[in-house]
Amino acid sequence: MSAAYAAYPTVQFAAGGGASEHRPLIITLFACFVVATLFITVWAGRQTKSASDFYAGGRQFTGFQNGLAVSGDYMSAASFLGIAGAIALFGYDGFLYSVGFLVAWLVALLLVAEPLRNSGRYTMGDVLAYRMRQRPVRTAAGTSTIVVSIFYLLAQMAGAGVLVSLLLGITSDAGKIGIVALVGVLMIVYVTIGGMKGTTWVQMVKAVLLIAGTVLITFLILLKFNFNLSDLLGSAAKNSGKGSAFLEPGLKYGATGTSKLDFISLGIALVLGTAGLPHILIRFYTVPTAKAARKSVIWAIGIIGAFYLMTIVLGFGAAALLKPGDIIASNKAGNTAAPLAALEIGGGAGSAGGSILLAVISAVAFATILAVVAGLTLASSSSFAHDIYANVIRRGKATEKEEVRAARWATVAIGVVSIALGALARDLNVAGLVALAFAVAASANLPTILYSLFWKRFTTQGALWSIYGGLTASVVLVLFSPVVSGKPTSMFKTVDFYWFPLENPGIVSIPLGFLLGWLGSLLSKEEADKVKYAELEVKSLTGIGAH
């Protein structure tokens, strides 16, 4: 630990200890982004007249625009802060997140993007309700959407608390909780005023800023090592204190049989989770045609692919430039590795260049968090209003105006819950938290979506067993895992009630979700509606009759 303490003044500066002379610049950049996005939101809000405008942006966005917005929705705090931190601390094993998040897009493109766009209207519940009993499946779909979204929101809230604390020198728990609350309030404003139109434009702006910021830091890190990747990786391995082991599998996942299983579980969750994420699924409804939906996913793959390649340089660059003790002293989970690397590459603590680069990159990361939380909140509030309120509580008799009003109130409620849980999760690695959301989405949503689209014997009972079974299994296993209790890195560090040994439940809960959907359908007393399935099959594959 001596090396860590020797370099501790750098961490103190990054945390705000010596940044007071540059703090006006930092605050100005943050304020500029917030004001600009609020302006966009108000502008879009004035054009939001109907439920279609609020939920799907009037289906007016082009394939490229939606691809940019999908990228903005997908490249979250986990991508920018969590992956860089995981690579900086664990080398090769942290790199799994970059690969997993990218490969997951192939599942979304090949299996769900176009059929979902053709089959639904606003939410996942629309697809399920087409050939099954409306009220039970919409209730299940709405519940699942809200739970998955809240898990994902935890990661963004944790990232926001870490990031702004780092910049403004806030070290108290109360101050960090205040930052989480501020993000929650902004998120509520974005969604209630702007709806899908405002959220989409904010996500497009954020995607451009994030790519530009990442390109800049990647270029500067590569310049530092004369564009020689071998030198970069060698310096990272040497500086990490782990030597060649830093560049090999096993530093985080591999010491025991349990950690190897955790590695497989994480990989399964990352690859299968994207196709079940509610805030990604609703993006396909914002384009006018199935062709535009395909184009948007192809654009997103290109943009996201380039970004994740650059996160490798960010992570190993942080490992090469910073001591592990510095990163851990700033944030135990490594979430500040990318901003600290920006500070170092710009000239180090106390330099104007370092401070400007730190401020710019942190403002970009903050923009990332705000855009993603808006998308998540919109997905969950839309599902509550459209599936649960309009079609279950009001039995399809709610007016569009009442439905949109319910969505806005749901936004406030989800915002309050997210603030409370985000305050508890502020010390956890944001990439790990997002991986949990992926596991829940892949366990509850993905089996039901695939069975609905491609299996004609799928029944209402099968859908309910799949959603509730996968959801319950994944959430219970997370609650009784080391993520919540029993370890220094857990949410509750001082208590120990975990019995499930893995940090990611995907290896158990995802197969269980598929099994329960199959078993529930076979044991169901009702016959599947094969006529409706035939209609859905034609609609999903051709787009005939799509909204």
Side-chain angles (χ1 to χ4, degrees):
M1 286 299 292
S2 58
Y5 284 115
Y8 197 69
T10 305
V11 176
Q12 280 292 87
F13 170 82
S20 56
E21 62 186 291
H22 300 291
R23 198 161 289 149
L25 170 68
I26 293 167
I27 294 170
T28 301
L29 281 168
F30 270 64
C32 285
F33 177 78
V34 171
V35 169
T37 50
L38 285 174
F39 174 80
I40 292 169
T41 303
V42 172
W43 166 77
R46 288 178 177 172
Q47 300 179 49
T48 301
K49 308 293 183 187
S50 65
S52 177
D53 289 335
F54 187 87
Y55 294 137
R59 307 191 201 280
Q60 296 170 350
F61 294 101
T62 66
F64 171 70
Q65 286 175 326
N66 194 49
L68 203 55
V70 168
S71 306
D73 226 350
Y74 193 67
M75 297 183 301
S76 66
S79 305
F80 192 59
L81 302 177
I83 292 177
I87 294 174
L89 295 179
F90 301 108
Y92 182 94
D93 282 7
F95 166 62
L96 172 68
Y97 286 102
S98 293
V99 176
F101 284 146
L102 180 55
V103 171
W105 265 107
L106 295 176
V107 180
L109 173 64
L110 297 174
L111 293 179
V112 301
E114 187 179 348
L116 203 71
R117 164 64 188 79
N118 291 340
S119 308
R121 190 176 180 195
Y122 300 133
T123 65
M124 180 181 78
D126 288 334
V127 179
L128 306 185
Y130 190 84
R131 52 180 289 228
M132 296 172 195
R133 284 183 283 126
Q134 287 247 353
R135 297 184 74 203
V137 296
R138 283 193 184 275
T139 303
T143 303
S144 175
T145 295
I146 291 167
V147 172
V148 172
S149 296
I150 286 174
F151 263 95
Y152 211 119
L153 278 166
L154 280 183
Q156 312 311 312
M157 296 298 197
V162 165
L163 189 69
V164 184
S165 303
L166 173 81
L167 281 173
L168 302 185
I170 296 169
T171 55
S172 68
D173 285 340
K176 291 175 182 176
I177 292 168
I179 292 161
V180 170
L182 172 66
V183 173
V185 170
L186 283 170
M187 155 183 99
I188 291 167
V189 170
Y190 285 162
V191 176
T192 52
I193 295 176
M196 178 58 88
K197 281 188 177 179
T199 301
T200 300
W201 281 106
V202 168
Q203 284 160 347
M204 283 193 275
V205 170
K206 165 257 168 146
V208 171
L209 289 174
L210 182 60
I211 289 291
T214 309
V215 166
L216 175 62
I217 298 300
T218 301
F219 175 79
L220 291 174
I221 288 173
L222 290 174
L223 184 64
K224 176 90 173 176
F225 293 93
N226 298 314
F227 295 91
N228 188 322
L229 284 175
S230 180
D231 282 355
L232 170 62
L233 295 174
S235 298
K238 183 179 178 182
N239 204 40
S240 71
K242 304 289 194 303
S244 60
F246 190 72
L247 304 178
E248 297 168 0
L251 204 57
K252 180 174 172 63
Y253 303 106
T256 64
T258 301
S259 65
K260 289 176 182 177
L261 264 182
D262 223 341
F263 180 86
I264 297 168
S265 188
L266 173 64
I268 294 169
L270 291 179
V271 170
L272 296 180
T274 297
L277 289 176
H279 68 298
I280 299 298
L281 297 179
I282 65 167
R283 290 239 56 92
F284 299 131
Y285 299 130
T286 65
V287 290
T289 64
K291 184 178 180 182
R294 280 197 306 275
K295 277 188 177 178
S296 63
V297 179
I298 292 166
W299 273 110
I301 285 175
I303 295 165
I304 291 167
F307 172 78
Y308 282 123
L309 285 174
M310 290 188 286
T311 60
I312 300 168
V313 177
L314 287 182
F316 284 110
L321 296 167
L322 305 162
K323 295 292 181 185
D326 290 1
I327 299 169
I328 293 167
S330 177
N331 178 258
K332 292 174 186 175
N335 293 325
T336 55
L340 289 176
L343 171 69
E344 190 65 29
I345 203 74
S351 68
S355 300
I356 290 169
L357 214 49
L358 173 66
V360 168
I361 292 306
S362 299
V364 166
F366 191 64
T368 294
I369 289 164
L370 287 178
V372 173
V373 296
L376 286 162
T377 311
L378 182 65
S380 47
S381 61
S382 296
S383 188
F384 171 82
H386 183 64
D387 292 324
I388 297 175
Y389 174 76
N391 286 288
V392 177
I393 297 173
R394 294 295 303 278
R395 297 175 181 266
K397 294 176 182 176
T399 65
E400 282 198 350
K401 192 174 180 181
E402 288 172 335
E403 206 173 312
V404 172
R405 190 189 305 127
R408 287 179 168 140
W409 279 111
T411 299
V412 175
I414 290 160
V416 170
V417 171
S418 302
I419 290 167
L421 293 175
L424 291 172
R426 62 188 180 276
D427 288 331
L428 302 180
N429 182 281
V430 288
L433 284 171
V434 164
L436 294 182
F438 272 58
V440 178
S443 305
N445 293 349
L446 184 63
T448 318
I449 291 168
L450 293 181
Y451 281 146
S452 292
L453 291 171
F454 303 114
W455 187 31
K456 65 182 175 184
R457 291 189 62 187
F458 195 46
T459 65
T460 300
Q461 180 173 292
L464 298 179
W465 283 28
S466 182
I467 292 177
Y468 287 128
L471 191 64
T472 303
S474 54
V475 171
V476 167
L477 291 177
V478 168
L479 288 176
F480 292 99
S481 76
V483 171
V484 175
S485 72
K487 289 188 176 181
T489 54
S490 301
M491 191 179 288
F492 299 104
K493 303 173 184 63
T494 55
V495 291
D496 182 355
F497 52 81
Y498 86 88
W499 48 262
F500 183 67
L502 307 182
E503 291 187 4
N504 193 289
I507 197 168
V508 175
S509 59
I510 296 171
L512 186 63
F514 279 98
L515 176 64
L516 288 171
W518 172 77
L519 193 61
S521 296
L522 290 187
L523 299 178
S524 175
K525 293 179 181 178
E526 65 177 318
E527 284 288 323
D529 191 333
K530 293 179 182 176
V531 174
K532 279 284 187 184
Y533 172 74
E535 290 175 8
L536 180 65
E537 187 176 35
V538 171
K539 189 177 178 182
S540 66
L541 294 176
T542 66
I544 295 171
H547 291 279

